[in-house]
Amino acid sequence: MSKMIVIFNGAQTPNLASNEIQSRIEAKVRLALGRYESDIEKVNIQLEKIDSEENEKKYDMSV
């Protein structure tokens, strides 16, 4: 059985808030894909900074 690797790419800042966000995202991804973990080798997650309310409407943050 292989272990699924979750990789974050993109806008990352070295502060506690971004680490907490990444941890939450990774937990949700692992929960959603956990039953397929033996079939998934790697998950790439692209993070992008959203600067305005107009841009926020373009992204669905639910997992």
Side-chain angles (χ1 to χ4, degrees):
M1 180 185 255
S2 66
K3 186 77 172 159
M4 178 172 55
I5 299 171
V6 178
I7 299 173
F8 289 88
N9 300 305
Q12 296 182 9
T13 56
N15 64 34
L16 182 61
S18 79
N19 290 336
E20 289 176 7
I21 291 168
Q22 287 185 15
S23 294
R24 276 193 234 141
I25 292 169
E26 183 171 350
K28 287 185 177 191
V29 167
R30 288 188 182 279
L31 181 63
L33 301 177
R35 71 175 74 178
Y36 307 106
E37 186 169 352
S38 63
D39 298 323
I40 298 172
E41 183 177 321
K42 181 173 23 174
V43 175
N44 286 307
I45 299 174
Q46 181 69 35
L47 299 177
E48 295 182 23
K49 185 174 180 180
I50 299 174
D51 292 325
S52 70
E53 289 181 23
E54 182 178 318
N55 285 335
E56 287 179 13
K57 295 176 187 174
K58 295 179 186 177
Y59 297 93
D60 179 12
M61 298 302 288
S62 62
V63 173

